[in-house]
Amino acid sequence: MTVTIVGSQLGDEGKGALVDLWGGDADIVVRYQGGDNAGHTVVEDGEEYKLSLVPSGAVRDKVGVLGNGCVINPRTLFSEIDDLRERGLDPDVRLAKRAHVIMPYHRRLDNIEEEAKADSDLTVGTTGRGIGPTYEDKAGRRGIRVGDLLDPDVLRQRLEYVVPQKKALIEDVYGLEAGEECDVEALVEEFTEIGRRLREDDMAVNCGDFLAERREAGDNVMFEGAQGTLIDIDHGSYPYVTSSNPTAGGAATGTGVGPTVVGQGEVVGIVKAYLSRVGEGPMPTELKDDDREEELADFIREKGGEFGTVTGRPRRIGWLDMPMLRHAARVSGFTGIAVNHLDVLAGLDEVKVGHAYELEGDERLTMPATTERWGECEPVLKGFDTWPEVDWAAVTEEGYEAIPDAAQDYLEYLSDEIDVPIYAVGVGPGREQTVHIENPFDD
């Protein structure tokens, strides 16, 4: 059995909590794209774990795999692993030999290029973690892969080819001084040592073969996407996107399993009950038009803890966007959804949803293909009856029927609009703060 977890919006939907919830029935949790620009927070027995690279299942003693679609900063990876060990856990993390490695020069160039865009409308608002430049080198066939770190001669050969190019880019194009990030000898020494640790700990695997063998042995596999649909490089609001595919198709290309394997399993879209975004780009339902809306956004932001896990940046806030959700459901083929942060909307004076867009006098139920046209869309808002604050702990114990009636109406509207069932409702960050409806691992 496989279950694929996909972000339905702009990231930060609370995917980690659902991976943690259902991960108890998984034997292996596989990240299939992205790098340490992702952030997921898992709460276990009141203990909070903020992870950016290690798969969420690590806190539940599951095998975690970083697939070939990931880009991996070994410094971040080992820092997280060591931190988890200091806190009493023993994470078993494997890396695909075909996954690409984020090198120090990638991080330097990421920051240089974003700064160079600062005076234009092309600023993306990246995390500066080197994600984009690493994927650029992957596509340009000059990247360093995990498997290269296991062979010092191959590693040196790759670095002696690519580093002079990076140094010339920094110095001749941007007019800056290159530093240790372009020192071939220092890089060979550091990353050869990383390769030694990977080899001694038996961490590097042929991902597709590894997963096929484990599935044949009867293991359940959960595929974990980072970020969200609207920052998918092919299906998102380009250029305000990440450099990989968070949508369900990425689970196949990013791990080496076939698309029929992913397609025959469950694909669960994780939905935040409102909308948040870090970084630039359109957001038609954003609460920003007047003082009242800005006050409401501040209230939701504080109540929902809407600050980036990786960067700490305050997130932009808006009403849930149904054209966006319809687009996400179609692109990934959701078999169900989980709705998080329902409790954050409790006690508000108003609750709305962007049901559709108005564009040049026409109503549109889905998103335009270009970001420029999306930015011209005005939301057609639909109001809902509000619901009060309740004892959410009691709700999780009693089940779905204990959710206030108005909140149930809100949830059932979402389910009906994209024609898939709701599997869970999150009313807090912890695993015990989720209303269980259906387990996607159950046949």
Side-chain angles (χ1 to χ4, degrees):
M1 182 66 185
T2 69
V3 173
T4 303
I5 301 296
V6 177
S8 301
Q9 295 151 311
L10 290 148
D12 308 315
E13 300 95 349
K15 297 179 291 297
L18 277 306
V19 172
D20 184 47
L21 172 67
W22 293 319
D25 293 313
D27 301 289
I28 303 172
V29 178
V30 190
R31 273 277 305 275
Y32 58 84
Q33 48 75 223
D36 58 338
N37 59 333
H40 39 271
T41 301
V42 177
V43 179
E44 170 80 4
D45 295 331
E47 189 86 5
E48 187 174 78
Y49 299 90
K50 290 183 179 292
L51 305 171
S52 60
L53 196 53
V54 170
S56 301
V59 302
R60 299 196 70 178
D61 296 324
K62 307 300 178 180
V63 177
V65 180
L66 297 174
N68 56 275
C70 294
V71 290
I72 300 170
N73 184 333
R75 296 174 178 175
T76 302
L77 175 65
F78 287 124
S79 176
E80 289 190 5
I81 290 174
D82 292 343
D83 179 62
L84 290 172
R85 286 175 175 165
E86 288 176 5
R87 297 173 70 177
L89 301 178
D90 187 23
D92 182 355
V93 180
R94 312 298 178 92
L95 283 63
K97 292 180 180 179
R98 290 185 170 96
H100 281 248
V101 179
I102 299 173
M103 304 298 289
Y105 49 77
H106 291 132
R107 292 173 64 97
R108 176 83 191 278
L109 284 166
D110 198 357
N111 285 285
I112 290 172
E113 291 173 12
E114 190 71 357
E115 186 174 333
K117 295 175 182 176
D119 295 329
S120 72
D121 61 358
L122 298 177
T123 303
V124 175
T126 76
T127 59
R129 300 299 179 97
I131 308 300
T134 307
Y135 278 114
E136 285 181 39
D137 278 357
K138 175 179 179 176
R141 295 165 293 193
R142 54 181 174 269
I144 308 295
R145 303 199 295 178
V146 168
D148 299 333
L149 306 187
L150 307 177
D151 188 328
D153 292 335
V154 171
L155 175 61
R156 177 178 291 277
Q157 181 184 33
R158 298 272 194 270
L159 288 171
E160 287 179 345
Y161 170 73
V162 72
V163 168
Q165 297 179 31
K166 303 305 179 186
K167 185 174 182 180
L169 185 57
I170 292 169
E171 295 184 342
D172 299 341
V173 175
Y174 291 108
L176 301 171
E177 184 176 349
E180 290 187 357
E181 76 278 354
C182 291
D183 183 332
V184 171
E185 293 304 322
L187 293 172
V188 169
E189 181 179 354
E190 177 182 358
F191 285 85
T192 295
E193 175 60 23
I194 289 168
R196 182 195 62 76
R197 180 170 177 178
L198 293 175
R199 187 166 47 250
E200 289 184 356
D201 293 347
D202 196 27
M203 294 176 68
V205 298
N206 183 333
C207 187
D209 285 352
F210 178 79
L211 294 177
E213 290 168 3
R214 297 297 294 258
R215 290 187 64 250
E216 287 174 6
D219 284 355
N220 285 334
V221 178
M222 176 173 280
F223 298 108
E224 177 184 16
Q227 292 95 32
T229 298
L230 265 292
I231 52 174
D232 183 293
I233 193 167
D234 287 307
H235 305 290
S237 55
Y238 188 91
Y240 307 106
V241 292
T242 193
S243 302
S244 58
N245 294 109
T247 45
T253 58
T255 63
V257 304
T260 52
V261 173
V262 176
Q264 289 171 3
E266 293 273 352
V267 179
V268 185
I270 312 303
V271 181
K272 185 176 286 183
Y274 51 93
L275 198 60
S276 69
R277 177 169 202 163
V278 170
E280 305 297 325
M283 191 173 170
T285 63
E286 185 171 9
L287 291 164
K288 64 173 186 177
D289 287 344
D290 53 40
D291 290 344
R292 183 186 59 82
E293 286 195 353
E294 289 181 1
E295 287 178 8
L296 179 56
D298 286 341
F299 178 84
I300 292 173
R301 185 182 297 111
E302 291 294 332
K303 187 177 180 182
E306 295 296 344
F307 301 89
T309 302
V310 172
T311 65
R313 290 182 294 184
R315 297 171 182 150
R316 298 158 60 191
I317 303 296
W319 297 121
L320 189 142
D321 185 318
M322 281 308 306
M324 180 186 296
L325 192 53
R326 295 184 190 103
H327 170 76
R330 176 186 59 78
V331 168
S332 287
F334 293 159
T335 57
I337 59 174
V339 182
N340 282 326
H341 287 247
L342 184 72
D343 57 307
V344 175
L345 298 182
L348 298 183
D349 293 333
E350 59 179 341
V351 173
K352 295 181 180 179
V353 162
H355 174 77
Y357 299 143
E358 185 177 301
L359 181 61
E360 296 180 345
D362 294 326
E363 185 173 279
R364 301 183 61 139
L365 295 178
T366 58
M367 298 178 58
T370 68
T371 302
E372 289 72 22
R373 294 287 279 172
W374 188 35
E376 296 169 5
C377 291
E378 293 293 331
V380 178
L381 297 174
K382 175 181 173 65
F384 288 82
D385 290 340
T386 59
W387 55 90
E389 285 286 4
V390 295
D391 183 348
W392 294 107
V395 169
T396 58
E397 289 181 7
E398 296 174 35
Y400 184 82
E401 293 305 318
I403 294 174
D405 289 345
Q408 288 190 41
D409 291 342
Y410 183 84
L411 293 169
E412 286 159 17
Y413 161 80
L414 303 186
S415 176
D416 290 344
E417 285 295 316
I418 56 175
D419 196 26
V420 296
I422 295 175
Y423 288 171
V425 179
V427 293
R431 185 190 313 148
E432 73 283 357
Q433 295 170 292
T434 303
V435 179
H436 301 251
I437 301 170
E438 184 173 340
N439 185 337
F441 275 112
D442 292 340
D443 293 330

